[in-house]
Amino acid sequence: MGGVNRTRTTSGGPAGANLGVVRSHNTALVLGLLRAAGAEGISRLELAERTGLTPQAVSKITARLRESGLAAEAGRRASTGGKPRTVLRLVPEAGHAVGVHLDRDELRVVLVDLDGTVVGERRGELDLGAGAEAVLGAVGDVAEGLVTAVLGRAGGESSAGAGGAPSAGAGGESSARVGGEPPAGAGAGAGAGGDVGARGLPRIPSLLGVGVALPGPLDHARGVLHRVTGFPEWDGFPLRDALAERLGVPVVVDKDTNAAALGLSVAGAEGGAGGSFAYLHLGTGLGAGLVLGGGVHRGARTGAGEFGHQVLQLDGPRCECGNRGCVEVLCMAAVAAGETAEAARVLGVAAGNLVGLLDIDVVLLGGRTVAGAPEAYARGVGEVLDARARREGTAGGPVPVRVAERGERVVAEGAAQLLLAPLFGRADG
């Protein structure tokens, strides 16, 4: 943890740690166990037993974590022999991450602490086709406003208490209506940042960076967008680098469904401990996030999860992706017609294909459209999967179908975990 030093705002605001890097894999393992232990904490001996590290190594790591402000004592625990053991806990307010959900017509931004607790939220209208400068400017304005409201500015007044609680206005609506020309592609002079302003986020020591999630397809590794369904003009745009230059902090970009799946896995949803699940997101479009063997599956070319574009009708209506009869176009047509039962049935047929292919443990449903009628979608998809399991005589019965926790914030919270997960030893973050 070299270079991680505890700092405090001069106004007496929240203390934080400079979390630019966690160089040690062993340190990440210890941090992960501290987070999992919660407020009750965990002893050094337990840390050594669970990580396989020597007690001496654990003592050195925890000493550095305490010095940097990431860990603190949480009291003492009775021992089976000898003196009581000191237990340690994570200090959630020592670090924060911004999570951004860029939807086709809406922008949602959350600020979370190291525990993943949302300490502030803002949202507003957005037109993803309004142009790179307008969209990036909207993200910057809303993110800056939220961070400033909750954490304050470096060296200035903070509207959050020492525990990182949001100010009264931190969770309110923020106007993010944007307009303008379509973004130029990478081959048309859309360099990192383009002509976007360079105001940047406040330099808060505890701020890790920004995770951004939006519809795919995109290249997660390079942070470059491909032909976003409905917005092909974004093809080749280097969103990660453009936002990093605009905001002045590290930025990670991924598909909305992958971010949501990661967030759900970290929060303990089925599949988080070696299992598997599919998160099906039905909002302004349709996609899937896959957790296989406890980790998010993106594929060799980061293209896994394009669930909405499997073909169900060879001669069906044309989809914006260019194919005919895709799940997305059929399902969204039913949604537009107010036929929720039919939309759920189509979604269930496609989910059945996925379950049959991957033999996953559970199907989780989410997204704005599902949130409007959660019971109807869970019931409709479940009925299709039940019928399929009866026909095929599936061992163990049908795969359970549930509405994902965390509601409409699931993507934004997952986007923040793109920054946090690697800090705690999650390689799929």
Side-chain angles (χ1 to χ4, degrees):
M1 291 288 295
V4 179
N5 298 307
R6 187 172 179 81
T7 57
R8 183 175 298 275
T9 60
T10 58
S11 63
N18 184 349
L19 301 174
V21 290
V22 175
R23 294 190 178 93
S24 166
H25 173 67
N26 292 338
T27 300
L29 291 178
V30 171
L31 277 172
L33 290 172
L34 287 171
R35 180 169 66 169
E40 294 183 1
I42 185 172
S43 71
R44 293 177 179 83
L45 181 58
E46 290 172 303
L47 288 170
E49 291 173 346
R50 297 186 189 183
T51 59
L53 299 172
T54 65
Q56 294 81 0
V58 168
S59 293
K60 290 180 180 179
I61 291 171
T62 54
R64 290 197 298 269
L65 292 177
R66 289 184 63 191
E67 182 181 356
S68 68
L70 291 169
E73 288 190 4
R76 294 181 180 274
R77 184 178 300 163
S79 174
T80 55
K83 63 181 181 179
R85 299 174 184 170
T86 300
V87 294
L88 302 173
R89 65 173 179 85
L90 182 71
V91 179
E93 62 270 23
H96 298 87
V98 175
V100 177
H101 180 191
L102 275 177
D103 209 343
R104 293 171 173 86
D105 60 358
E106 182 182 76
L107 169 67
R108 186 185 296 265
V109 182
V110 300
L111 182 70
V112 307
D113 64 18
L114 292 180
D115 267 340
T117 301
V118 175
V119 297
E121 176 182 9
R122 288 189 175 181
R123 56 184 293 195
E125 296 179 3
L126 181 77
D127 177 5
L128 193 58
E133 183 172 350
V135 172
L136 269 63
V139 172
D141 290 345
V142 177
E144 180 183 10
L146 177 59
V147 170
T148 301
V150 179
L151 301 179
R153 291 186 176 276
E157 291 298 323
S158 169
S159 53
S167 67
E173 296 271 338
S174 174
S175 175
R177 186 190 302 274
V178 296
E181 296 300 319
D195 295 325
V196 179
R199 293 170 59 191
L201 294 179
R203 294 188 178 276
I204 305 296
S206 70
L207 188 61
L208 280 165
V210 176
V212 181
L214 72 162
L218 55 82
D219 183 339
H220 158 76
R222 297 190 301 127
V224 174
L225 305 187
H226 294 322
R227 297 181 66 83
V228 178
T229 304
F231 299 90
E233 64 270 23
W234 282 100
D235 189 15
F237 186 79
L239 181 63
R240 182 192 65 191
D241 293 345
L243 269 178
E245 182 174 331
R246 168 66 173 79
L247 301 177
V249 295
V251 173
V252 179
V253 173
D254 205 346
K255 289 196 298 189
D256 47 11
T257 50
N258 288 342
L262 174 64
L264 290 167
S265 180
V266 168
E270 293 86 351
S276 62
F277 68 82
Y279 168 74
L280 308 184
H281 185 89
L282 180 58
T284 57
L286 176 60
L290 304 175
V291 170
L292 305 178
V296 177
H297 177 71
R298 296 184 175 89
R301 290 167 293 279
T302 73
E306 289 301 312
F307 171 80
H309 300 296
Q310 56 176 300
V311 175
L312 293 187
Q313 287 184 8
L314 292 177
D315 298 320
R318 184 172 295 279
C319 179
E320 289 185 342
C321 74
N323 289 327
R324 288 188 176 274
C326 289
V327 179
E328 180 170 299
V329 70
L330 296 174
C331 192
M332 298 307 293
V335 170
E339 299 173 353
T340 301
E342 174 62 11
R345 187 185 71 84
V346 172
L347 186 59
V349 171
N353 292 341
L354 191 62
V355 169
L357 181 65
L358 299 177
D359 193 22
I360 55 179
D361 299 323
V362 65
V363 171
L364 300 177
L365 307 178
R368 190 191 315 173
T369 301
V370 169
E375 294 181 0
Y377 278 100
R379 181 176 60 252
V381 173
E383 288 174 351
V384 175
L385 294 186
D386 288 352
R388 177 170 179 148
R390 286 194 300 271
R391 288 195 307 271
E392 298 176 352
T394 305
V399 170
V401 178
R402 288 190 277 276
V403 175
E405 296 180 357
R406 319 192 94 74
E408 294 186 50
R409 282 198 320 212
V410 65
V411 173
E413 290 188 43
Q417 288 296 336
L418 294 171
L419 271 297
L420 296 180
L423 184 70
F424 298 98
R426 288 284 301 239
D428 58 337

